[in-house]
Every structure is written in C-alpha cells, then in structure tokens.
C-alpha cells in the first residue's frame, strides 16, 4: 500500500513530499538531503535508509498537530549533522498561491528581495510571483529581463507593466496586482519585504476561506502597528475573500491606514484576522523620504493631523465608512487599467467588476 507524507522542518515549513511505495522504497520530491531509499522498522522507530543501508532519517515518536493530523517526530541527516524534522501523514492538495509585489522606482529594493524570495519558496510547487511595474523609470524592466528571464520562461514569475500612473497609488496598485494574480490564495509582499524560507508552504497551511493573515500584531481584538518591522502591509487571503470587500479603498490616495481599513472591513464581513508569524516578517528599513517620494501627496501625517492623503484623513474616511456599514467599496472599480504582460506577450485591460452587495 502506498503512503504519502510531508516532510517538515523544525519551523513547520514544507521541505519535501515523501511517498512510501508498496515495494518498500521511498520516493522524495524534491530531495535536498538525499533521502530516497527504503523504509525500515527498528522497534517503534521508523527509519529511511539509503542504498548502502545507512540510516538517513529516523522518526521515533508520534502525535497530532493542532488540526488533528498525525505527525512522526525525529531527525534527518544533513551532511554530518542530524536536524529535527517531522513527517505528517497525507496533506491536502496544494493550492495555487500568488505572491504579489508592486514597484514604482524601487529597483534598489526589488533586486535584493525578489531573487531571495523566489529562492526561499522553491519548495512550494504551485506558486507564482506577480511583479507589477507601476510605470517605473529606474530600469526595473531591463533588470528583470537581464536577471530573471528563466523565471519568466518557467512561469514562476509574471512581470506586468502599466504606463498609465503618474504617481504611486498604493491601493490601486495592490488591487491591480491581486486581480492579475492567478492564485487561489493571494499575498501582498511589498518591494522591501523578505518572505523568509518556506513562506508559501506556511500560507498553504494557515490561510482558509474564512480567515486572513496580516502583518501587524493582534492584542485581543486590537490591531497593533507599533514596531511592525515594516510588514504591516503584508496580508494573505483567498482572492475571493479580497474581492468580497471590493479590494483596498482606492479613495485612499496618500500613505497610511489603507491596510488597517482593509482589515477592519474584512473583520466586519465576518473574516478572522490572524497575525503572520514574526519569522516571516522582515524588510529592508528605510525612511519616510523613501515612502513619500512617488506619492501625489507627500505629507504622511505621522506627527500631527495632516492634509489630503495623510494617514489621519484616511483613518477618518475609514471610520466613517465602517460606522455607516459601508464595508464593500470601489463599486466594482478594483485595480482597473491597462497592463502589458512579460514585455509584450499580452496586453490586458482590467475593467470594472460586477458590484457586490454591501
């Protein structure tokens, strides 16, 4: 009888899919540690041995995870060392995931984060990276063609360019990138964000149709944005969930509170918000000059009540909408506009969607 497992590292990230074949052999995909071999029992322990008969993995105890799935705890041999890992029986079919990044003149960040993020999520099979070039003038497209052509050819990366924006509009750009995504689960990853190793596998395990993973901390029911390490704007959810609230509020034209507004509206629609584990929340630090450089309204309003586009104006708009029960916004105009995919491969026009009930 064939038995399928998932091999997880000590942090819970998926490393490989392990299949015990009826003839006693073990198939591993991918196989970074050289585990392919045969099953062997040693008392209560379950071993994997290589072709020479040497033990390369040993699992000695078992139990259940938080969702009632059986786990076998032990270790695998990585070079001269034994590292803690576990086997989990079965595992649900992988869901397609899209990690979405928008950039307007942030090449200096993208060239650090994107290659690393692609590498750190190589374990997850059904994954795409969506990079939306929001009319950059810093050579982003040229850099992508020179350095990430293989990723585009494989379909792992999809590059989109729009020539329409004159300034960075955070909510419109994110709405556009998530609409372009083909994944069941979509996740905003800002240009300065690192995902960490195994992030996509983590999302596949944690994101459900009724919940949202967010980058800020939760204390009780309160969203805490202080000391957020620059990842408050990270969020992951089903694409259908995102569209259920009309996306991010495109009336927010400056900086700040657009993410919090989205989280409050999602909660108002009955979705659960849960914090992303801190090990996946890391970014390149930078100052407010960097944040505001491409905005139409550059007064962020951190220290006082600012004018048009400031965080305080955005918060007041959000509070008024929620108080009046307006949880579904944009009236179907979610990330509309014209983009070109993969340097001329296809021109796409994103038009209005049907208006959902509030």
């Amino acid at each position: 009888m064939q038995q399928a497992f998932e091999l997880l590292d000590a942090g819970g990230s998926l490393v490989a899919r392990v299949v015990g074949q009826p003839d006693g052999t073990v198939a591993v995909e991918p196989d970074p540690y050289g585990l392919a071999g045969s099953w062997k029992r040693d008392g209560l322990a379950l071993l994997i041995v290589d072709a020479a008969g040497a033990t390369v993995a040993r699992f000695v105890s078992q139990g259940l995870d938080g969702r009632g799935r059986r786990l076998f705890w032990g270790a695998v041999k990585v070079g001269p060392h034994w590292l803690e890992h576990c086997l989990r029986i079965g595992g649900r079919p992988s869901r397609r995931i899209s990690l979405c990044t928008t950039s307007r003149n942030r090449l200096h960040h993208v060239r650090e984060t994107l290659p690393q993020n692609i590498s750190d999520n190589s374990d997850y099979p059904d994954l795409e990276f969506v990079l939306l070039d929001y009319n950059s003038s810093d050579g982003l497209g040229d850099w992508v063609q020179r350095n990430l052509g293989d990723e585009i050819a494989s379909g792992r990366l999809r590059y989109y360019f729009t020539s329409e924006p004159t300034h960075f509009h955070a909510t419109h750009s994110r709405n556009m990138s998530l609409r372009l995504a083909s994944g069941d689960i979509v996740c905003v990853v800002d240009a300065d964000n690192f995902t960490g190793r195994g992030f996509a596998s983590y999302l596949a395990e944690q994101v459900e149709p009724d919940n949202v993973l967010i980058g800020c901390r939760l204390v009780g029911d309160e969203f805490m944005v202080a000391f957020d390490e620059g990842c408050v704007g990270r969020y992951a959810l089903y694409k259908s969930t995102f569209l259920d609230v009309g996306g991010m509020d495109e009336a927010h034209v400056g900086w700040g509170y657009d993410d919090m507004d989205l989280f409050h509206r999602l909660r108002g629609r009955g979705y659960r918000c849960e914090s992303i584990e801190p090990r996946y929340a890391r970014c390149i630090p930078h100052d407010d000059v960097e944040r505001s450089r491409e905005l139409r309204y550059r007064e962020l309003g951190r220290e006082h009540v600012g004018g048009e586009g400031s965080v305080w104006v955005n918060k007041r708009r959000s509070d008024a909408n929620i108080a009046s029960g307006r949880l579904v916004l944009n009236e179907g105009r979610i990330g509309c506009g014209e983009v070109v995919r993969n340097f001329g491969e296809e021109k796409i026009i994103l038009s209005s969607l049907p208006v959902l009930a509030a």
Side-chain angles (χ1 to χ4, degrees):
M1 179 178 178
Q2 181 173 288
Q3 179 66 64
F5 300 88
E6 293 175 323
L7 179 67
L8 310 177
D9 64 19
S13 296
L14 178 68
V15 175
R17 287 169 175 79
V18 180
V19 178
Q21 307 286 1
D23 63 359
T25 59
V26 178
V28 184
E29 179 61 37
D31 191 11
Y33 305 146
L35 299 183
S38 302
W39 294 111
K40 183 179 180 181
R41 285 283 185 179
D42 182 12
L44 297 179
L46 178 66
L47 311 181
I48 300 177
V49 298
D50 63 18
T55 299
V56 292
R58 180 182 178 90
F59 301 96
V60 296
S61 61
Q62 60 180 291
L64 301 177
D65 68 7
R67 297 182 181 178
R69 292 167 296 188
R70 183 173 295 178
L71 299 176
F72 296 86
W73 285 290
V76 300
K77 192 173 185 182
V78 182
H81 305 292
W82 286 88
L83 302 181
E84 290 185 5
H85 281 65
C86 72
L87 287 175
R88 181 170 62 203
I89 287 183
R92 57 189 169 191
S94 64
R95 293 167 295 177
R96 185 160 178 77
I97 294 176
S98 300
L99 302 183
C100 303
T101 298
T102 64
S103 178
R104 182 179 171 91
N105 295 330
R106 289 286 189 94
L107 171 59
H108 54 293
H109 287 160
V110 171
R111 64 189 176 198
E112 291 189 49
T113 58
L114 184 56
Q116 187 65 53
N117 292 341
I118 291 173
S119 174
D120 281 346
N121 291 280
S122 60
D123 65 297
Y124 195 81
D126 201 2
L127 173 69
E128 70 169 354
F129 289 82
V130 174
L131 176 60
L132 174 60
D133 184 340
Y134 206 65
N135 204 11
S136 298
S137 59
D138 60 356
L140 175 61
D142 291 340
W143 179 84
V144 169
Q145 281 189 300
R146 287 196 309 271
N147 295 277
L148 298 176
D150 290 345
E151 301 294 343
I152 289 178
S154 72
R156 195 73 163 175
L157 171 65
R158 293 193 178 189
Y159 170 85
Y160 295 91
F161 174 77
T162 175
S163 62
E164 296 174 339
T166 59
H167 297 83
F168 186 64
H169 186 175
T171 54
H172 175 265
S173 66
R174 289 174 174 85
N175 285 350
M176 180 174 272
S177 69
L178 267 61
R179 279 197 63 183
L180 292 166
S182 64
D184 304 301
I185 296 171
V186 293
C187 179
V188 164
V189 180
D190 285 346
D192 58 6
N193 274 211
F194 294 101
T195 65
R197 180 171 171 264
F199 181 61
S201 296
Y202 164 77
L203 294 184
E205 287 300 317
Q206 299 299 321
V207 178
E208 302 287 353
D210 66 342
N211 79 335
V212 182
L213 295 190
I214 61 176
C216 64
R217 308 277 71 79
L218 285 166
V219 178
D221 288 335
E222 297 296 319
F223 298 114
M224 306 298 292
V225 298
F227 311 112
D228 61 82
E229 305 299 331
C231 293
V232 161
R234 177 99 61 92
Y235 57 86
L237 70 178
Y238 269 77
K239 185 173 180 178
S240 57
T241 299
F242 183 73
L243 297 177
D244 185 46
V245 294
M248 303 190 79
D249 184 4
E250 295 190 18
H252 291 266
V253 294
W255 176 89
Y257 210 78
D258 47 351
D259 39 29
M260 304 303 296
D261 169 72
L262 177 66
F263 303 159
H264 281 294
R265 288 188 290 115
L266 286 163
R267 179 181 280 175
R269 292 283 278 182
Y271 297 101
R272 295 179 291 111
C273 291
E274 301 172 0
S275 293
I276 294 171
E277 289 186 13
R279 62 191 170 120
Y280 298 113
R282 189 166 65 89
C283 75
I284 300 170
H286 58 84
D287 59 22
D288 283 347
V289 173
E290 180 85 80
R291 289 184 178 89
S292 62
R293 181 175 291 119
E294 298 296 331
L295 300 176
R296 183 186 300 275
Y297 302 101
R298 298 186 179 182
E299 185 178 1
L300 304 187
R302 280 192 191 271
E303 305 300 331
H304 58 279
V305 177
E308 184 65 29
S310 71
V311 62
W312 298 107
V313 169
N314 291 339
K315 183 180 186 305
R316 287 197 297 271
R317 180 186 298 108
S318 174
D319 290 346
N321 284 335
I322 292 169
S324 65
R326 291 191 68 236
L327 303 179
V328 182
L329 302 180
N330 295 317
E331 297 182 338
R333 293 194 57 78
I334 306 169
C336 295
E338 183 179 296
V339 299
V340 176
R341 184 175 70 191
N342 293 344
F343 309 100
E345 177 182 283
E346 181 184 10
K347 181 181 291 186
I348 300 170
I349 298 176
L350 299 173
S351 55
S352 296
L353 296 172
V355 178
L356 300 175

